[in-house]
Amino acid sequence: MQDRYDPRAIEADAQKFWAERRSFHVTEDKARRKFYCLSMFPYPSGKLHMGHVRNYTIGDVLTRHHRMRGMNVLQPMGWDAFGLPAENAAMANKVPPAKWTRDNIAYMKQQLKSLGFALDWDRELATCDASYYRWNQWLFTRLFRKGLAYKKTGVVNWDPADQTVLANEQVIDGRGWRTGALVEKREIPMYFFRITHYAEELLAALEGMDGWPEQVKLMQKNWIGRSEGVRIGFEYALENQKKILWVFTTRADTLMGATFCAVAAEHPIALHAAKSSPQLAAFVEECRRGGVQEADLAKIEKKGMPTGVFCTHPISGEKLPVWVGNYVLMGYGEGAVMGVPAHDERDFAFALKYGLKIVQVIDVKDFSGTQWREGYVEPGRCIHSGKYDGLDFQASIDAIAADLKARGLGEKQVQWRLRDWGISRQRYWGCPVPIIHCPSCGDVPVPDQDLPVVLPEDLVPDGTGNPLNKLASFVNTTCPSCGRPAKRETDTMDTFVDSSWYFARFACPGQDTAMVDERARYWMAVDQYIGGIEHAILHLLYSRFFQRAMADEGLMPKELREPFTNLLTQGMVLAESYYTDADGRREWVNPADVAVERDAKGKITSAKRIRDGAPVAYDGIGTMSKSKNNGVDPQSLIEKYGADTARFYTMFASPPTHTLEWSDESVEGSFRFLKRVWAYCVKFKAGSAAADAESLRKATRYEIHSVLRQLNYDIDKHQLNTVASGAMKILNALERLEGFPEAAREGLQILLKVLSPITPHICHALWRELGFGEDIMREAWPDPDPAALVQDEIDYVVQVSGKTRGNVRVPRDADQPAIERLAAEAVKKYIGGKPVRRVVIVPGKLINIVV
RNA sequence: GCCGGGAUGGCGGAACUGGUAGACGCAGCGGACUCAAAAUCCGCCGGUGGCAACACCAUGUGGGUUCGAUUCCCUCUCCCGGCACCA
């Protein structure tokens, strides 16, 4: 046995051992409980970052733990390989996205292997492979025929200089990232998935999803956004024709306080009125400016302009002005709202700004009418509302809705915030939408026998749109239904389509005649899904939609409607950033190149660049990013300390769900711990067994089994940082022992077993070196021995009036009066002569004497 | 702007279901070993006052519930994630 811990050698050995035995290859086995453990697959950006290491280590620890619990565990890996960064890299380096992507995959795969993850590589897939994306296309054609996929116009960011559609990410401060031109909104035809068909179900099912964090379910619930309200019609005349302006409101009780209506700039009333008013046309044009991001739209100054059109209040018959408002969204509800300044903050500000009438109709206190007050939106009894006066929130809504319904001017309605999912992207590096546009037959889905529509892989985009548009051999085709010349759709699919079902495909390696097969029935649903909290809404909601669409298509059992039974959302990995402002130019300095100085208490006082001693300024802590040059490369970490240290550190530093703040010194500490484990085992192997003193044996076993009990509790709730510290506590207990009695042997085996999911290589090596067995991975996970946890005496905390004043040791079988007597004796001086009002006893823990 | 989350020593974090705040580790300080350094090992380590015993203060802010609050409720501040074409 080597005296020194040499991670490089033992990690290579262990990985070879697993590879030769195909240790992580799994197949369906009806006899054992299956466990499908999945981490979100990576985008092949070039090399792994710390977020990947953390994500995949969490997944690997859970995988290995469940294996040791006797389950049939599947942990696959693949590549989310389509997307924008490949096109950017292609433009920068004049390399086709396909080559760039596949080179990255090869490199990152080797990195993942060096980390020793228990992955079944036989199931590897990349979404850019035609063998994968053909099934995107196949399912699309199925949904298209069903009407679950359809075409309509959608709004996009338009760069007028490059004449191209921009991703939100490519819009910087309202301008195109390459041209600097002011971005506009533009409507173009797109394909949509009808996710709203499942809105009700996607919402209702959240209720039973106990394995998901409340926080994520709440975000999804709010995103789907079910609201009950009333659709209300305001009559108006346009060119002598009677028309109805429909609005949706959740506050029909305030209808009698409506003093205006506002429509979106794209609303027919606005467009019509703009024809005869140059000012209004200019305002509508102004609303077109800017991108489509909701965060920006919500922050712009609320502006409006009257259309000159008046509509009729459906109850009072009063004439109300119709305004165009830049805050009204065409995509939500009817693209129009009623304005009730007295009971809506936004309407209030709008009314004050433009001198519109404010009428209070709900009995809220302190209504001043000149300044917005908290509480104006609170529901209450109706006032100044004619026949509705005195009715409360629900009663007034019921009465108003009934009256409107009787006159054909409204009814109760359920409205969803959720919008259908636009999947068309005017980009090259993605899955082609399998549609052929025929002048006589219209949009024809590509027939099954012609799938896949293969993406040509040798194009290099130039930033002015999708190069597929210019590729005649791709575009020109014949109509599958009439045989005449036709054009192929050149839009590709949103990459979220690729990632909405990959987990099902992992179950079916080698299947080339179907999207999924019966093996998916064995493995699905994913028992444990792990990934970043940033995916809490979109990816996870789209996957839930896909699972339903696939089940309803007969691809999976109809009742299997949720893809992920348990979800763990990991926190981000953050790092400090530093910069110098030498000669007026800010230069970001990587934390690895910075030396900090501390005062006597260890507080940081200053920082310098190691290379030249130049003082650097601290910029705080944030996500690792290229722009701030604060990324920590996992590769250098693995090379310096080995995979086990990298794995241990990422588990120990922070609970999986919290952010992790990078610290080089703490990495050092993790390495030191593994060295101590190795050194202890070297001594253990050389030492001779000592006799167990009964008391020593009992105390040590109590200590180790107590830690084990807590550790098992922690690992079951995925609090892996305290699992790591539990392992440290066990080593501390072992090192306190004199010699190596039987209790040490038992404790050491427990230590190696509980540590092995986190640091599998070193545990594999030590298990074999010490002759404990051939393969620690095949050992059963340890449980605490109840006999070891029984104590003869119990320590109680004694409080006087809630303040801790002492401890008292009482025999296990002491009765309550005896405990009270011992406790009172222990804190006699704090009680003094004061009368005892009450004694609170928490069994096994604490006594509080209230005086 | 809207939705969700977070804040505990110099730092990362722990505290089982409301029950000793600071486990485990990092940094720091002191010591051992060494010609010396590294490595390793031992001790100390929230703040204030005190020779000490000990006392008081302390879990972002302000309030509340409770015998007892880091934990539950309300208020505010700051930070982070998402907002539908980044993945």
Side-chain angles (χ1 to χ4, degrees):
Chain A
M1 184 175 190
Q2 286 253 346
D3 273 358
R4 250 186 67 243
Y5 170 46
D6 177 9
R8 194 178 294 263
I10 63 169
E11 288 178 7
D13 276 358
Q15 286 166 17
K16 190 162 158 252
F17 179 94
W18 298 325
E20 279 168 359
R21 282 169 178 71
R22 299 183 77 204
S23 295
F24 311 128
H25 176 75
V26 287
T27 52
E28 300 71 44
D29 174 0
K30 295 253 158 60
R32 278 190 298 161
R33 214 178 116 195
K34 68 96 183 176
F35 190 84
Y36 184 178
C37 188
L38 182 68
S39 292
M40 290 181 187
F41 64 167
Y43 177 78
S45 55
K47 51 189 185 182
L48 292 186
H49 55 66
M50 276 303 164
H52 293 130
V53 175
R54 189 182 193 199
N55 196 157
Y56 302 142
T57 304
I58 295 167
D60 203 46
V61 171
L62 300 181
T63 290
R64 288 171 178 274
H65 172 238
H66 282 92
R67 281 184 66 123
M68 292 175 79
R69 285 288 191 195
M71 295 179 205
N72 189 28
V73 186
L74 166 61
Q75 187 183 222
M77 183 52 73
W79 309 95
D80 187 14
F82 275 136
L84 208 46
E87 297 199 12
N88 297 338
M91 282 186 265
N93 313 320
K94 303 271 182 279
V95 176
K99 175 164 171 41
W100 182 83
T101 302
R102 296 214 162 83
D103 287 351
N104 288 348
I105 288 174
Y107 182 72
M108 290 168 74
K109 181 173 179 179
Q110 161 264 314
Q111 285 191 302
L112 287 175
K113 289 197 163 178
S114 74
L115 280 158
F117 297 131
L119 294 164
D120 184 356
W121 283 105
D122 297 339
R123 296 163 186 270
E124 181 182 6
L125 61 81
T127 57
C128 63
D129 290 339
S131 58
Y132 181 82
Y133 68 68
R134 74 174 290 181
W135 301 109
N136 281 357
Q137 297 174 337
W138 180 84
L139 186 69
F140 176 90
T141 61
R142 291 299 174 289
L143 299 182
F144 188 77
R145 290 191 187 111
K146 263 189 177 176
L148 279 176
Y150 65 97
K151 187 158 98 169
K152 69 166 183 182
T153 58
V155 193
V156 294
N157 302 302
W158 181 256
D159 184 326
D162 261 354
Q163 293 281 300
T164 190
V165 176
L166 297 177
N168 282 337
E169 185 186 60
Q170 298 171 320
V171 179
I172 317 284
D173 297 328
R175 292 170 184 274
W177 65 329
R178 287 159 54 80
T179 63
L182 281 169
V183 168
E184 302 168 359
K185 296 181 192 71
R186 172 170 281 217
E187 291 203 29
I188 58 167
M190 299 187 4
Y191 291 93
F192 285 79
F193 281 144
R194 204 180 295 279
I195 189 172
T196 53
H197 173 75
Y198 291 102
E200 188 95 61
E201 194 194 327
L202 287 167
L203 178 68
L206 289 171
E207 206 70 35
M209 290 162 61
D210 301 330
W212 279 40
E214 288 304 322
Q215 153 200 13
V216 174
K217 287 190 283 185
L218 192 53
M219 279 193 265
Q220 292 218 346
K221 182 184 171 198
N222 292 336
W223 184 263
I224 296 168
R226 183 182 196 276
S227 50
E228 288 180 13
V230 181
R231 185 173 181 250
I232 302 177
F234 292 73
E235 289 175 300
Y236 68 103
L238 207 59
E239 292 173 333
N240 294 322
Q241 275 197 307
K242 220 169 104 177
K243 300 203 168 195
I244 298 178
L245 171 63
W246 290 104
V247 306
F248 173 83
T249 179
T250 55
R251 289 301 302 273
D253 58 317
T254 65
L255 175 60
M256 300 314 288
T259 58
F260 68 97
C261 284
V263 299
E266 302 87 352
H267 193 279
I269 293 184
L271 296 176
H272 183 269
K275 280 188 218 156
S276 49
S277 160
Q279 284 151 298
L280 194 60
F283 181 66
V284 168
E285 191 51 38
E286 186 190 325
C287 293
R288 282 186 99 81
R289 278 208 281 279
V292 298
Q293 291 182 62
E294 181 167 327
D296 293 340
L297 293 175
K299 273 182 277 204
I300 54 173
E301 188 195 351
K302 307 292 177 279
K303 282 191 196 167
M305 192 172 273
T307 60
V309 175
F310 285 80
C311 60
T312 308
H313 190 288
I315 306 283
S316 71
E318 202 179 334
K319 292 287 177 203
L320 306 183
V322 179
W323 284 61
V324 182
N326 64 354
Y327 63 93
V328 184
L329 302 174
M330 198 58 211
Y332 183 72
E334 306 284 347
V337 297
M338 66 176 193
V340 185
H343 304 290
D344 180 274
E345 188 163 5
R346 197 172 51 187
D347 294 346
F348 186 84
F350 197 79
L352 280 191
K353 182 169 181 176
Y354 294 110
L356 295 163
K357 231 178 5 167
I358 299 174
V359 178
Q360 181 187 2
V361 292
I362 302 294
D363 188 18
V364 288
K365 47 189 184 294
D366 297 335
F367 195 97
S368 77
T370 57
Q371 189 195 338
W372 185 257
R373 297 267 172 81
E374 209 59 46
Y376 287 177
V377 291
E378 303 281 310
R381 285 182 191 287
C382 292
I383 53 172
H384 309 143
S385 298
K387 63 185 276 206
Y388 308 110
D389 279 357
L391 296 181
D392 68 11
F393 177 74
Q394 197 55 54
S396 60
I397 289 177
D398 291 346
I400 287 169
D403 288 350
L404 291 173
K405 188 162 188 186
R407 304 187 23 220
L409 286 177
E411 62 198 324
K412 286 195 181 172
Q413 197 183 42
V414 171
Q415 187 75 38
W416 302 88
R417 208 188 77 97
L418 182 68
R419 308 199 294 259
D420 277 338
W421 174 15
I423 59 154
S424 294
R425 297 291 179 270
Q426 298 67 45
R427 261 176 276 289
Y428 159 60
W429 189 234
C431 167
V433 173
I435 288 282
I436 290 167
H437 302 290
C438 170
S440 33
C441 308
D443 290 358
V444 183
V446 175
D448 289 0
Q449 67 271 17
D450 295 340
L451 292 176
V453 177
V454 175
L455 184 73
E457 293 205 347
D458 48 1
L459 305 184
V460 180
D462 61 5
T464 62
N466 186 347
L468 285 177
N469 291 325
K470 299 174 200 151
L471 190 68
S473 60
F474 181 82
V475 175
N476 295 323
T477 184
T478 52
C479 172
S481 84
C482 72
R484 280 182 284 197
K487 303 274 187 202
R488 204 179 277 290
E489 172 65 56
T490 57
D491 279 358
T492 53
M493 294 185 198
D494 180 2
T495 56
F496 274 125
V497 177
D498 309 330
S499 56
S500 290
W501 68 282
Y502 73 106
F503 39 86
R505 184 71 184 173
F506 274 139
C508 316
Q511 175 53 264
D512 61 1
T513 58
M515 190 171 186
V516 292
D517 57 39
E518 68 285 351
R519 289 174 291 175
R521 291 168 186 257
Y522 174 82
W523 289 111
M524 287 296 287
V526 173
D527 294 278
Q528 182 65 58
Y529 197 36
I530 304 134
I533 182 70
E534 66 273 19
H535 294 290
I537 295 174
L538 294 180
H539 163 60
L540 291 169
L541 192 61
Y542 292 150
S543 298
R544 296 181 61 217
F545 160 67
F546 248 70
Q547 182 67 30
R548 286 168 169 79
M550 288 172 74
D552 288 343
E553 195 57 45
L555 294 163
M556 287 210 227
K558 196 112 183 156
E559 66 282 0
L560 185 56
R561 302 187 84 72
E562 287 299 336
F564 314 120
T565 308
N566 294 289
L567 174 69
L568 189 160
T569 49
Q570 74 159 348
M572 316 264 296
V573 180
L574 309 179
E576 294 170 323
S577 51
Y578 299 91
Y579 61 89
T580 64
D581 271 332
D583 31 276
R585 263 193 59 198
R586 181 156 295 191
E587 191 187 336
W588 294 94
V589 181
N590 193 278
D593 303 326
V594 170
V596 296
E597 282 167 14
R598 295 165 192 274
D599 63 16
K601 286 182 177 171
K603 195 174 182 174
I604 296 175
T605 52
S606 68
K608 285 178 180 166
R609 179 158 55 193
I610 294 169
R611 170 158 57 83
D612 55 5
V616 294
Y618 176 58
D619 187 58
I621 203 144
T623 52
M624 291 185 177
S625 71
K626 263 196 187 130
S627 61
K628 289 200 174 177
N629 186 21
N630 63 341
V632 177
D633 184 11
Q635 199 57 39
S636 59
L637 190 68
I638 296 166
E639 279 159 19
K640 188 167 175 195
Y641 299 104
D644 280 339
T645 295
R647 295 171 60 119
F648 188 90
Y649 170 72
T650 50
M651 292 303 94
F652 177 65
S654 184
T657 54
H658 291 203
T659 54
L660 184 157
E661 293 174 32
W662 189 260
S663 153
D664 283 320
E665 290 95 346
S666 295
V667 173
E668 197 70 53
S670 298
F671 185 53
R672 198 175 302 157
F673 167 66
L674 295 182
K675 282 194 286 189
R676 270 175 60 209
V677 172
W678 188 272
Y680 182 81
C681 289
V682 169
K683 278 186 280 176
F684 181 89
K685 194 174 181 186
S688 53
D692 281 326
E694 178 61 21
S695 61
L696 176 72
R697 178 184 151 80
K698 215 166 172 171
T700 304
R701 289 198 83 223
Y702 175 77
E703 192 173 357
I704 289 174
H705 285 261
S706 298
V707 172
L708 180 59
R709 181 177 53 181
Q710 182 65 41
L711 191 151
N712 279 345
Y713 177 83
D714 289 346
I715 201 166
D716 285 341
K717 63 171 185 176
H718 305 154
Q719 186 166 307
L720 305 180
N721 56 323
T722 48
V723 172
S725 72
M728 288 174 148
K729 286 177 190 176
I730 294 176
L731 181 64
N732 288 347
L734 291 174
E735 285 184 332
R736 277 195 294 271
L737 279 175
E738 295 280 334
F740 306 98
E742 183 52 35
R745 186 184 175 85
E746 185 201 14
L748 182 54
Q749 293 194 349
I750 290 172
L751 170 63
L752 294 177
K753 284 179 190 172
V754 299
L755 199 53
S756 67
I758 300 176
T759 59
H761 308 89
I762 186 175
C763 295
H764 171 86
L766 290 171
W767 195 257
R768 291 167 67 85
E769 285 288 357
L770 298 176
F772 290 160
E774 196 204 15
D775 186 358
I776 191 170
M777 241 174 49
R778 296 181 181 278
E779 296 291 324
W781 185 265
D783 279 309
D785 175 6
L789 295 172
V790 177
Q791 279 178 296
D792 298 334
E793 291 181 311
I794 300 170
D795 285 320
Y796 273 82
V797 172
V798 187
Q799 297 184 331
V800 178
S801 298
K803 276 187 187 268
T804 301
R805 294 300 189 185
N807 291 280
V808 68
R809 179 163 290 191
V810 303
R812 172 156 43 110
D813 48 10
D815 60 6
Q816 192 156 319
I819 296 172
E820 279 182 35
R821 207 168 49 243
L822 285 165
E825 181 64 24
V827 295
K828 197 163 56 181
K829 70 171 178 174
Y830 296 100
I831 297 171
K834 286 167 254 173
V836 174
R837 285 216 331 253
R838 162 176 188 196
V839 178
V840 181
I841 296 196
V842 183
K845 280 201 184 106
L846 173 141
I847 302 147
N848 187 13
I849 300 168
V850 185
V851 297

